[in-house]
Amino acid sequence: TQLLEQSPQFLSIQEGENLTVYCNSSSVFSSLQWYRQEPGEGPVLLVTVVTGGEVKKLKRLTFQFGDARKDSSLHITAAQPGDTGLYLCAGINSGGSNYKLTFGKGTLLTVNP
Amino acid sequence: NAGVTQTPKFQVLKTGQSMTLQCAQDMNHNSMYWYRQDPGMGLRLIYYSASEGTTDKGEVPNGYNVSRLNKREFSLRLESAAPSQTSVYFCASSNRGRQPQHFGDGTRLSIL
């Protein structure tokens, strides 16, 4: 069973602060996705990273895939209350013909105005 | 833009009752999935259907059955509900490859 550990589990910060959340595994994934989930809704994809060492930016969010494709990080610059939500990482193992996701337990981010 | 539609949105059952959660997608996706989400446990895969006509067990299949009715619809059945099945259930769909899984808004199920 492939496991993804996310840290921290909870994070409460003030508007304007920077933060980083981490997603770590002992397993190699063919690619990794980050989702954000808001209360009462399903997760929504933010980004997919596929190459070891890859960095992707989405406005104030920066995503990095580790060189060995076992870990990833999400950095938010100048956080805003609209960034509040549950951030989930999910690893993709493309073995066989199915593309199943293995989810981490998530980081619950609260950005206070 | 319906995407993935789940019904019902909320349900309360008594222990031992049965019910079926419905899921339909309008994106012509091949694969569909059922997850449950519990506090501190993240999203766990119950069953999935890689393509029409096939279903496979995920991480936590005990107590559940599924039916891939056609390409659009994938239902989840609880034959004899137990309090441990109180959870939020999400249906998702995707095509093969690294495309995202598109999630419904969930069914909040409480079993007393």
Side-chain angles (χ1 to χ4, degrees):
Chain A
T1 302
Q2 296 176 305
L3 296 176
L4 279 168
E5 299 288 339
Q6 285 191 244
S7 61
Q9 187 176 359
F10 300 97
L11 188 57
S12 181
I13 62 171
Q14 294 300 121
E15 183 176 0
E17 293 183 357
N18 302 330
L19 67 112
T20 302
V21 299
Y22 300 92
C23 176
N24 296 295
S25 176
S26 58
S27 302
V28 175
F29 290 97
S30 60
S31 58
L32 194 139
Q33 295 180 336
W34 284 91
Y35 290 78
R36 184 170 75 195
Q37 184 180 17
E38 300 190 16
E41 300 181 4
V44 176
L45 181 73
L46 296 174
V47 76
T48 301
V49 285
V50 299
T51 305
E54 181 177 5
V55 176
K56 281 192 173 180
K57 292 189 176 183
L58 183 65
K59 296 184 180 178
R60 294 175 293 100
L61 279 60
T62 301
F63 304 85
Q64 184 162 7
F65 201 13
D67 291 340
R69 290 185 287 124
K70 292 183 178 182
D71 56 87
S72 181
S73 64
L74 159 60
H75 182 79
I76 302 179
T77 303
Q80 299 178 1
D83 296 325
T84 293
L86 179 67
Y87 289 82
L88 296 160
C89 65
I92 298 173
N93 184 343
S94 60
S97 61
N98 300 313
Y99 290 81
K100 293 189 293 182
L101 296 181
T102 299
F103 280 88
K105 294 180 180 180
T107 294
L108 185 60
L109 172 65
T110 303
V111 182
N112 302 298
Chain B
N1 295 338
V4 178
T5 302
Q6 292 183 237
T7 55
K9 294 189 184 304
F10 302 92
Q11 185 70 48
V12 178
L13 294 177
K14 294 181 179 178
T15 297
Q17 287 185 317
S18 62
M19 82 161 294
T20 300
L21 307 185
Q22 306 287 353
C23 175
Q25 54 94 7
D26 62 3
M27 295 171 284
N28 201 35
H29 285 164
N30 291 312
S31 302
M32 298 185 73
Y33 311 81
W34 276 105
Y35 294 89
R36 59 179 290 175
Q37 187 174 36
D38 303 292
M41 298 297 293
L43 281 159
R44 293 182 292 171
L45 183 65
I46 305 171
Y47 271 93
Y48 67 100
S49 172
S51 60
E52 186 178 357
T54 69
T55 60
D56 285 286
K57 295 179 181 179
E59 182 184 356
V60 289
N62 291 344
Y64 306 95
N65 286 299
V66 291
S67 296
R68 183 75 182 265
L69 303 171
N70 47 56
K71 191 171 186 178
R72 291 187 64 248
E73 298 172 290
F74 188 38
S75 63
L76 178 72
R77 183 161 178 83
L78 287 70
E79 290 291 351
S80 180
S84 62
Q85 294 177 305
T86 293
S87 188
V88 182
Y89 291 85
F90 287 98
C91 177
S93 70
S94 72
N95 273 328
R96 294 179 179 179
R98 301 188 184 98
Q99 294 182 20
Q101 289 195 0
H102 293 263
F103 287 81
D105 284 338
T107 293
R108 284 141 188 85
L109 181 61
S110 293
I111 300 162
L112 307 176

